Structures are given as C-alpha cells and as structure tokens.
Amino acid sequence: EVQRVESGGGVVQAGGALRLACVAAESTGEEDTIGWFRQVPGKEREGVSSISITDGSTDYAASVKGRFTISTDNAKNTVSLQMNNLRPEATADYSCAVSLPFVVGGFLPNLYTYWGPGTQVPVSS
C-alpha cells in the first residue's frame, strides 16, 4: 500500500500563494501518476494537476494553468503543488492520489488507487 499525506493547507487571501506537499510515508516504486484533486461539499471532485512519476510529464486543469505548478523532488518522495494568485473559487479540500504502475491517472479519480486524507484551503476574498 502506498501512503501519502498532504500538508501545507491553510487560510490564504485572494491573490496570495500557497504550496501544498504530498509526502510519501516511505520510498516506493509502486506509483505511476500523482494527481492533485479538490472537492467542495456537494460538488464532484475536480482534477487540478497531475505528474507522471515515470517520465515527469505534467498536466493542468484549464482553470489553474499558468498559476499552479506541480513538481517532485529527485527522490520522488514529495510532490508539491505551488498555487499562485489564488482565487476564492479555489476554496476546497485538496487531496493527492496515487495510481498504480502503468495506470496513467490523468484527471479521472477512478483510476487512482490510494488517496491522502486531504488538506483544507480556504481562500478569503
């Protein structure tokens, strides 16, 4: 089982920045894609960004492209999501998820096997 835990959430003003981290509990090779998702109560989970552990390719939702950056450290233990120029509509619970080897997760939640507990990001206007 691959365990990752999110950190870095917290209240931020509109226009501000926040950096989320998705940290592996232990080093593992049982991963293909790490995805960041966000969810607001009563709404469907939304894919924000993803990164391939195998080749480093990244993807972003249109709503965050140019403002959010996903990256990983050399050991691939930490996957970070730098969020700049945050807007009030970004308020949500943010979770990172792991897809198994050879499963390219993209923005489809059903393709991810392991999920972190989430971290809250309230953006005040």
Side-chain angles (χ1 to χ4, degrees):
E1 181 174 341
V2 179
Q3 286 187 317
R4 283 186 176 266
V5 179
E6 305 89 347
S7 64
V11 180
V12 60
Q13 285 190 332
L18 209 60
R19 188 177 183 89
L20 303 182
C22 173
V23 182
E26 59 184 39
S27 178
T28 175
E30 299 178 352
E31 301 176 326
D32 184 280
T33 310
I34 305 297
W36 278 100
F37 291 80
R38 62 189 180 189
Q39 190 169 24
V40 175
K43 293 189 176 182
E44 289 190 0
R45 183 174 277 159
E46 174 190 17
V48 177
S49 183
S50 67
I51 186 167
S52 167
I53 294 299
T54 54
D55 64 14
S57 59
T58 60
D59 199 5
Y60 297 92
S63 60
V64 306
K65 195 171 291 186
R67 298 184 297 113
F68 288 17
T69 303
I70 192 170
S71 62
T72 183
D73 61 3
N74 288 338
K76 300 181 174 63
N77 287 337
T78 300
V79 174
S80 299
L81 183 68
Q82 177 67 41
M83 306 187 295
N84 297 331
N85 191 19
L86 282 161
R87 301 167 180 168
E89 54 265 34
T91 295
D93 182 80
Y94 285 72
S95 300
C96 66
V98 179
S99 72
L100 294 176
F102 311 111
V103 178
V104 180
F107 292 155
L108 299 175
N110 290 344
L111 295 182
Y112 289 86
T113 302
Y114 302 109
W115 291 80
T119 185
Q120 293 280 336
V121 177
V123 182
S124 63
S125 57

